[in-house]
Amino acid sequence: MVRQADAETFEAHRDLMFAVAYRMLGTVADAEDAVRDAWLSWSAAPRGGVTDPRRYLAKVITNTSLNRLRAARARREAYVGPWLPEPLLSHSDVTERPELAESVSLAMLVVLESLTPEERAVFVLREVFGFGYAEIGAALGRPETTARQIGHRAREHVQARRPRFEVDHGQQREVTERFLDAASGGDIDRLISVLAPDVTLLSDGGGVARAALRPVTGAAKVGRLMAGLAAKLQAGRDLPGAVPELTEINGGPGLVYTRDGQVVGAVTWMVSGGLVTAVQIITSPGKLTALSAGRTLTL
């Protein structure tokens, strides 16, 4: 039987565990399942020697997430088109802290997908949540020196592919306004002028909804695609009856398209140096349930 104090300790760390699991797994359902697995481990294991519940539960959630990530990788390799993480609304404690906002952006989560499961675990625990290598090694069942080596590889890999991230919220708002105005007006030249030369657009329809099956790269190509999509939306040929709303998604600006109380599409983008550097479009119904439910990321 689980004591009330033990249950309260677990609940006090639930947000942290979900935040770790979500950054490792990229979907709400997988992250919630990992937290449930962690609860089963916590409720069944003897805790007489647990002096630091945060460290102990970080170890548990890391291992449950690793098991699920290894199983998920095979499924994602067979995914139709680009695989994007499941978007979540952002809480103020994310959007007001640049390091948290960057770590949970869809563009960064896409980069983390290219790491091995262990590299991803070490990177998330070290770079996002500030765990020491000794703690991470204990969580992974690895020596501290090995955890440090894994962390070094992961950091080099991420730095080479890291999306450029803007911490100036004023500039972010100004670029967002120009970006949306140009897109909604169908002005391709103005739209291209606000896109970085190497901007990349990824769209995830999950093999169910219409989406580009390959990444689209370059300001001219992305600008033409965005202008075309905007024209189809305005004409009601795509997402008929859907109403767009500007909001905060995964630590940055985003649009949600809602119809009859359900989110049917989402767009996010990253801003750096006064330009849009990455765009993500999600129309896969299975990736939009958390937005429809108003699920918010708090860490």
Side-chain angles (χ1 to χ4, degrees), residues 46-62:
R47 289 178 297 279
V50 177
T51 58
D52 187 340
R54 181 176 184 266
R55 178 187 295 184
Y56 181 88
L57 288 170
K59 174 180 179 179
V60 173
I61 196 64
T62 297

Side-chain angles (χ1 to χ4, degrees), residues 239-245 256-265 291-292:
L239 305 181
V243 178
E245 178 185 357
V256 294
Y257 288 84
T258 305
R259 181 175 57 216
D260 299 328
Q262 298 295 311
V263 175
V264 292
L291 289 179
S292 292

Side-chain angles (χ1 to χ4, degrees), residues 72-79:
R73 285 171 72 87
R75 297 196 305 270
R76 293 174 189 178
E77 288 174 0
Y79 198 78

